[in-house]
Amino acid sequence: GQQLNQSPQSMFIQEGEDVSMNCTSSSIFNTWLWYKQDPGEGPVLLIALYKAGELTSNGRLTAQFGITRKDSFLNISASIPSDVGIYFCAGIQTGANNLFFGTGTRLTVIP
Amino acid sequence: DGGITQSPKYLFRKEGQNVTLSCEQNLNHDAMYWYRQDPGQGLRLIYYSQIVNDFQKGDIAEGYSVSREKKESFPLTVTSAQKNPTAFYLCASSIADGGAYGYTFGSGTRLTVV
């Protein structure tokens, strides 16, 4: 399947710090989605992006659809302990029938 | 409340046995999906179904089988041919547009071979 590269693979941050992670591909996507997975649970949709250059916020989370349509970014401001989990990007290519998922970024917040 | 339910949460299987994981949704979604997640890994697509009585292989279908006899249900059978079945299995569903509005995931089934 299509390869979506997420970085960093893992992050350890202090509570209150801001977080940035990204997702890149060699192919063009027309939709980008960001999910969060709590330990032992299924991923939950955080933000959906549908247009190149689009910037969308959901509380302390902000995500952007890259201008090249080959990347997307997720920022979390003022992190709190419940932000701990794995963050996945996902994308849809034109004509595709399913999402391609990134490899995930594991976030640990130190109180 | 609408949602997607996976059962059981934990499942133990002896080597050589087939086992079936249940996935039921009441969201009226047309499409359903099965993913496998190994520790520290991303999600790998096993099978998906866009419509009742039709399904397609994903990236890692070998050793697995599915059926889609009802819109609400998409059970996954892990057969004895799957050599390394211990993993976390996630079921998801979406409306019929390929997931542009996102997939809804179940809470997963953790399968362990003993």
Side-chain angles (χ1 to χ4, degrees):
Chain A
Q2 179 60 248
Q3 186 79 13
L4 292 182
N5 301 306
Q6 276 189 254
S7 64
Q9 283 190 315
S10 62
M11 304 179 72
F12 293 81
I13 62 169
Q14 295 284 340
E15 183 177 357
E17 289 184 350
D18 295 344
V19 174
S20 291
M21 60 189 78
N22 67 69
C23 186
T24 60
S25 172
S26 57
S27 300
I28 290 174
F29 285 79
N30 59 20
T31 299
W32 286 99
L33 305 169
W34 284 93
Y35 284 84
K36 183 196 177 195
Q37 184 181 26
D38 289 328
E41 297 295 327
V44 174
L45 182 64
L46 299 174
I47 291 178
L49 303 158
Y50 301 107
K51 289 172 53 178
E54 180 180 354
L55 188 70
T56 298
S57 293
N58 178 6
R60 294 178 295 107
L61 276 62
T62 301
Q64 184 163 24
F65 193 136
I67 290 293
T68 65
R69 298 174 63 190
K70 294 182 179 180
D71 56 11
S72 180
F73 305 87
L74 176 69
N75 296 314
I76 305 172
S77 62
S79 59
I80 60 178
S82 62
D83 290 334
V84 165
I86 303 175
Y87 291 80
F88 289 102
C89 64
I92 300 177
Q93 295 178 295
T94 302
N97 288 323
N98 48 272
L99 288 175
F100 294 106
F101 282 87
T103 50
T105 293
R106 184 180 295 272
L107 178 64
T108 301
V109 179
I110 303 167
Chain B
D1 288 337
I4 182 165
T5 301
Q6 290 187 242
S7 62
K9 181 68 174 174
Y10 300 95
L11 189 57
F12 296 88
R13 189 195 91 172
K14 292 183 179 180
E15 285 193 31
Q17 284 184 336
N18 292 354
V19 64
T20 298
L21 282 60
S22 170
C23 179
E24 303 277 335
Q25 55 98 0
N26 61 3
L27 299 165
N28 199 33
H29 284 170
D30 290 298
M32 297 187 74
Y33 312 83
W34 275 104
Y35 286 89
R36 170 179 172 142
Q37 186 177 29
D38 292 289
Q41 303 291 318
L43 306 178
R44 292 187 291 168
L45 182 63
I46 304 173
Y47 269 99
Y48 65 99
S49 169
Q50 298 284 326
I51 195 169
V52 174
N53 291 323
D54 186 50
F55 48 82
Q56 307 296 327
K57 292 182 178 180
D59 299 322
I60 56 165
E62 185 176 350
Y64 300 97
S65 65
V66 294
S67 62
R68 187 86 187 278
E69 297 176 0
K70 298 188 300 181
K71 186 176 184 177
E72 302 80 16
S73 178
F74 191 40
L76 173 73
T77 296
V78 184
T79 75
S80 57
Q82 171 50 239
K83 298 307 178 187
N84 185 22
T86 294
F88 190 53
Y89 291 88
L90 286 161
C91 180
S93 68
S94 73
I95 60 177
D97 67 343
Y101 296 98
Y103 293 178
T104 300
F105 282 87
S107 57
T109 292
R110 187 167 300 280
L111 174 64
T112 304
V113 173
V114 296

